[in-house]
Amino acid sequence: MNRNWGECVRNVDKLNEFYPGGIPSGPVVVRSVNLNRRGPAVVMRLDLAEFPAFPRPEWAEVGCDRIQCHVVFLDVADFRLERWSGAGEVELAVTSLEPRRLRVLAEGTTVRCGFTSSDALTVRHVSAYDSTGEQEKQFFAGPLDRRKFTNRLPWIDERTFYG
């Protein structure tokens, strides 16, 4: 049975502030796919399908129009990255398997990635940005992220962010 990936998020409170009716379904933009070297986990950095109707006031003031987060998939098996030519829009299809497992397929013109994982997804590092601006500044929702990353995406070697 196909599901909206948002139905599997166990810490949905991270996004309830922005999407009280539930995480929107629809195409997402996959910005990065990171494999955890210490265990069978995958972290996808995604731009969500819709910008919230009622964003944080500071996000609206600076003209943010995209919301982004990391989605962590645990107990990953059968991982295949068959196509990656950079970030791109994908359909993120999630299908229920045996109890407590999912088949995940992210497929679009620039990305094709599939694997199986636990059905308990975690959301981290929620942020917003203005995709039309010349300078891509990230405005983080979490207080620790706001202090640590000061309105910018960290370099790709920042393990606490991408790991």
Side-chain angles (χ1 to χ4, degrees), residues 1 3 5 8 73 94-98 100-104 115-121:
M1 173 173 83
R3 302 168 67 178
W5 66 270
C8 305
F73 299 88
V94 175
T95 306
S96 294
L97 296 176
E98 61 189 71
R100 313 282 326 210
R101 297 289 296 164
L102 298 173
R103 176 165 311 286
V104 179
F115 51 89
T116 60
S117 78
S118 161
D119 69 348
L121 311 182

Side-chain angles (χ1 to χ4, degrees), residues 36-154:
N36 187 321
R37 65 187 178 103
R38 290 175 297 218
V42 169
V43 179
M44 286 187 167
R45 185 166 52 102
L46 305 175
D47 288 357
L48 301 186
E50 299 172 14
F51 193 71
F54 302 101
R56 289 189 167 186
E58 62 269 24
W59 293 357
E61 287 173 15
V62 295
C64 292
D65 62 351
R66 301 292 291 186
I67 192 163
Q68 188 175 95
C69 68
H70 288 196
V71 179
V72 181
F73 299 88
L74 298 174
D75 193 23
V76 170
D78 309 314
F79 180 84
R80 292 183 65 119
L81 182 61
E82 296 172 352
R83 180 172 55 245
W84 178 267
S85 56
E89 190 173 278
V90 302
E91 288 294 330
L92 186 58
V94 175
T95 306
S96 294
L97 296 176
E98 61 189 71
R100 313 282 326 210
R101 297 289 296 164
L102 298 173
R103 176 165 311 286
V104 179
L105 178 62
E107 185 168 23
T109 57
T110 63
V111 179
R112 180 175 167 77
C113 178
F115 51 89
T116 60
S117 78
S118 161
D119 69 348
L121 311 182
T122 304
V123 168
R124 299 188 310 202
H125 305 297
V126 178
S127 64
Y129 69 95
D130 175 8
S131 66
T132 62
E134 291 177 16
Q135 263 188 323
E136 193 174 296
K137 289 187 174 182
Q138 295 289 124
F139 299 92
F140 291 94
L144 183 59
D145 285 343
R146 279 196 306 269
R147 276 188 308 190
K148 188 169 183 179
F149 303 123
T150 59
N151 297 339
R152 65 165 181 79
L153 277 176

Side-chain angles (χ1 to χ4, degrees), residues 13-29:
D13 58 303
K14 296 265 187 191
L15 292 172
N16 276 349
E17 172 185 349
F18 311 109
Y19 302 106
I23 300 169
S25 60
V28 297
V29 175

